Amino acid sequence: MSGFRQTPELRFIEVPGPLAVGEKPRKMAWWDWPAQPEADPHRVVVCVHGLSRQGRDFDVLAQSLTVQARVIAVDVAGRGQSDWLVDPMAYQVGTYAADMAVLLAQLRAQDPLVQVDWVGTSMGGLIGIALAAQPGTGLRRLVLNDVGPVIQWEALCRIGAYVGRNPSFGERQEAIDYLRTLSAGFGPHDDETWTALSVPMLRERDGRWWLHYDPAIGVPVRALTDAADQAAARQVVREGEAALWALYDAIQTRTLLLRGAVSDLLSPETARMMGERGPRARCIEFAGVGHAPTLVAGDQVAAVADFLAQE
């Protein structure tokens, strides 16, 4: 494995659509994990995180998968090292899917024989559904981590209660502890693992610690959960679910669904339906985990790696 790097390289790609803060052209960041020599040189695994997370969530999974393929872990717009958007209401799946389509087009321009697998946690899974439903994207495999066409209203309200509130902390450990209180659904992690998951989420500025993302990513969520007319807001959610089911039903890519057994976002009924329609996803549940599995534990990593290794 001579020359194999154990840390990823940060790269950027300019994307069209909504502008960055300052009305400037926008760049999307992604972390590039090179494949090990024995890997298939034409395979790439694209990993995309959840609503308030960032690409370094996939460090453990990526290092495991480099024996199979090159791994790209994206910072979605407004998160991590990617530019923030000038328009808060542009923080939507449609924007993110368009950004990812630009990245996929670049990968295909660099290697016409490339085969792309997709691993998406929560929001990253919704982006994957949107892309996999389009015949031109040609995804080889799709992994949906604790997400489907139906998102439970209670989970939306839980997320809306904290995302984008923009707290700051005097000490890094205080910020790490705060993130832990928000993320009980991630399941048990020892202190070392939790610190590794949390440090990329933080930025130090003016002697205080802040979360990495644009607080405005919470605006579209709270536009629904805090709406004065809750009946109308729920109707918007139902219409969104119908559109997502239509996309899901159009998917022909072999699909794996991961579910935290006590998830409040992906219900057992939705998981069952996903196994019966569209790509008929195979579902694996993880005991003692809610929303969402972090893909750090050995059994979670193995589930993804084994699925992607299949021909």
Side-chain angles (χ1 to χ4, degrees):
M1 294 191 293
S2 176
F4 173 63
R5 296 192 303 274
Q6 291 292 334
T7 55
E9 182 174 344
L10 178 61
R11 300 183 185 275
F12 296 90
I13 184 171
E14 189 167 312
V15 289
L19 295 174
V21 169
E23 301 286 347
K24 298 176 180 178
R26 182 165 54 90
K27 291 183 178 180
M28 181 176 70
W30 45 283
W31 301 91
D32 192 355
W33 295 85
Q36 297 188 39
E38 64 268 33
D40 185 333
H42 301 297
R43 279 190 55 209
V44 177
V45 180
V46 176
C47 300
V48 185
H49 56 79
L51 178 67
S52 64
R53 304 293 301 182
Q54 40 66 51
R56 298 303 298 270
D57 273 1
F58 296 100
D59 282 7
V60 172
L61 179 66
Q63 291 188 70
S64 176
L65 293 180
T66 55
V67 298
Q68 298 185 34
R70 176 187 181 189
V71 181
I72 289 172
V74 179
D75 285 347
V76 176
R79 289 85 164 172
Q81 303 297 322
S82 288
D83 288 337
W84 294 8
L85 303 182
V86 68
D87 177 10
M89 291 307 293
Y91 285 122
Q92 306 273 2
V93 169
T95 299
Y96 310 146
D99 290 352
M100 301 302 165
V102 174
L103 176 59
L104 294 179
Q106 177 176 284
L107 293 175
R108 290 197 172 86
Q110 293 171 346
D111 178 7
L113 300 179
V114 70
Q115 293 185 309
V116 179
D117 297 335
W118 188 278
V119 179
T121 295
S122 195
M123 179 189 73
L126 296 179
I127 300 168
I129 289 173
L131 291 172
Q134 311 304 318
T137 57
L139 298 182
R140 190 190 76 101
R141 294 287 184 272
L142 176 63
V143 179
L144 303 175
N145 185 16
D146 209 64
V147 72
V150 178
I151 296 174
Q152 298 300 107
W153 178 258
E154 293 76 14
L156 275 178
C157 291
R158 173 180 60 79
I159 293 166
Y162 73 82
V163 70
R165 299 301 183 184
N166 203 30
S168 68
F169 309 90
E171 301 291 338
R172 190 182 78 166
Q173 188 58 49
E174 184 184 358
I176 291 171
D177 293 342
Y178 168 79
L179 289 171
R180 199 166 199 164
T181 65
L182 292 181
S183 307
F186 286 8
H189 295 79
D190 61 33
D191 290 345
E192 181 180 0
T193 302
W194 185 252
T195 297
L197 282 169
S198 299
V199 168
M201 297 281 290
L202 304 174
R203 301 290 183 269
E204 187 177 16
R205 187 174 72 250
D206 299 328
R208 295 190 64 80
W209 292 88
W210 304 77
L211 299 181
H212 67 100
Y213 60 78
D214 180 1
I217 67 170
V219 170
V221 178
R222 288 196 298 277
L224 287 174
T225 59
D226 295 351
D229 188 342
Q230 287 290 287
R234 288 176 183 250
Q235 179 60 30
V236 169
V237 172
R238 285 192 291 270
E239 291 170 357
E241 290 171 358
L244 281 169
W245 274 122
L247 290 171
Y248 182 79
D249 288 340
I251 294 172
Q252 298 183 11
T253 302
R254 188 180 299 178
T255 301
L256 174 67
L257 176 63
L258 307 177
R259 180 176 184 271
V262 291
S263 174
D264 67 343
L265 187 139
L266 177 64
S267 72
E269 175 64 13
T270 299
R272 182 190 63 79
M273 293 174 64
M274 293 172 72
E276 296 174 351
R277 55 190 286 185
R280 294 182 171 83
R282 175 193 172 204
C283 183
I284 298 176
E285 286 195 347
F286 301 107
V289 179
H291 183 75
T294 56
L295 309 184
V296 170
D299 59 339
Q300 297 174 22
V301 171
V304 176
D306 291 349
F307 173 72
L308 297 182
Q310 298 170 13
E311 293 298 328

